[in-house]
Amino acid sequence: MSIKATPTPGSQLVSPKDHTLIMIDHQSQMAFATHSIDAVTLRNNAALVAHAAAGFGVSTIVTSVAEKSFSGPIFDEIKAAFPKLEVTDRTSMNTWEDANVIARVNAIGKDRLVLAGLWTSVCIVGPALSALEQGYEVYVIADCCGDVSTEAHQRAMERMVQAGARPMTSLQYMLELQRDWARGETYELTTGIAKKFGGSYGLGIIYAQTMFNAHEG
């Protein structure tokens, strides 16, 4: 018997209410030594992810490491998206070994996690492998992460994928939350974030809306 297709989204696609986003160590000191992605692109991508998550009401945890003593504050772009969200500071390189973070994960209670942060090979590999081993479904926003070298970032991504993590990108994350341009209640949110932080895609939206009053959907 042949398969009959239905207009139903796949279960592996993320939606606003089915996961917890954990943004890890997007801090000044961590960014200084990041060379797999330039700082401007990294900040734009972090801003895009944070504002998309805030706008779509995604349950979100923001965590830092040694904020007061060494690594400095998280990016202002993330603070702007979540002005009232408590940032959980840690001493552990592996976020998953911090009891306060785990308490927040358990309180939210979602089995699907989306991770992004610095550095990929330490602060993202640690929680990704730990969460996978405990039965969580893990996604990693690759271009919202960075490392001391391209080699370090790529090997870290490969290691996580081999263990079962699913890679994605920042723009992909936001558009997967929107998924249908007929969802008018979040159309302006999505295109507004894209125009501000979405690079050439955002420029294209600005051009089309300005020159032709065009819109998607």
Side-chain angles (χ1 to χ4, degrees):
M1 181 180 290
S2 62
I3 298 172
K4 186 175 182 179
T6 62
T8 308
S11 62
Q12 292 185 27
L13 295 173
V14 300
S15 61
K17 302 302 181 185
D18 72 358
H19 69 281
T20 297
L21 171 68
I22 308 180
M23 301 193 76
I24 300 171
D25 304 350
H26 288 102
Q27 297 169 265
S28 306
Q29 178 63 29
M30 305 302 294
F32 292 157
T34 296
H35 296 293
S36 62
I37 183 172
D38 72 86
V40 173
T41 302
L42 175 64
R43 291 181 69 177
N44 273 339
N45 291 346
L48 190 151
V49 168
H51 282 80
F56 278 92
V58 174
S59 56
T60 303
I61 297 170
V62 177
T63 182
S64 59
V65 62
E67 177 184 2
K68 302 298 184 184
S69 61
F70 185 75
S71 298
I74 62 168
F75 297 168
D76 284 344
E77 292 86 349
I78 297 174
K79 290 182 180 179
F82 300 107
K84 297 182 180 179
L85 188 67
E86 177 187 353
V87 177
T88 302
D89 197 47
R90 320 177 319 278
T91 59
S92 62
M93 286 182 278
N94 180 6
T95 297
W96 207 258
E97 295 180 44
D98 184 87
N100 292 324
V101 173
I102 295 305
R104 296 184 68 181
V105 170
N106 289 333
I108 294 169
K110 294 179 180 176
D111 297 339
R112 174 177 283 178
L113 306 176
V114 176
L115 306 179
L118 304 175
W119 297 321
T120 323
S121 62
V122 181
C123 301
I124 302 302
V125 162
L129 298 186
S130 302
L132 284 164
E133 190 169 301
Q134 293 180 20
Y136 285 83
E137 185 179 354
V138 176
Y139 292 71
V140 178
I141 306 178
D143 65 350
C144 197
C145 299
D147 216 313
V148 296
S149 68
T150 301
E151 178 82 6
H153 173 76
Q154 290 177 344
R155 296 295 85 77
M157 290 301 305
E158 289 174 357
R159 184 179 178 188
M160 289 185 286
V161 169
Q162 288 169 0
R166 293 165 179 163
M168 62 195 316
T169 64
S170 300
L171 185 58
Q172 177 188 3
Y173 175 71
M174 181 176 71
L175 295 181
E176 205 160 304
L177 296 179
Q178 175 69 23
R179 203 179 302 158
D180 187 341
W181 293 118
R183 294 173 178 166
E185 66 276 10
T186 52
Y187 175 82
E188 294 295 338
L189 167 74
T190 301
T191 56
I193 294 170
K195 286 189 286 187
K196 192 170 184 179
F197 303 114
S200 57
Y201 172 56
L203 286 175
I205 295 174
I206 293 170
Y207 177 81
Q209 289 181 346
T210 302
M211 301 301 292
F212 313 114
N213 195 30
H215 60 87
E216 301 188 69

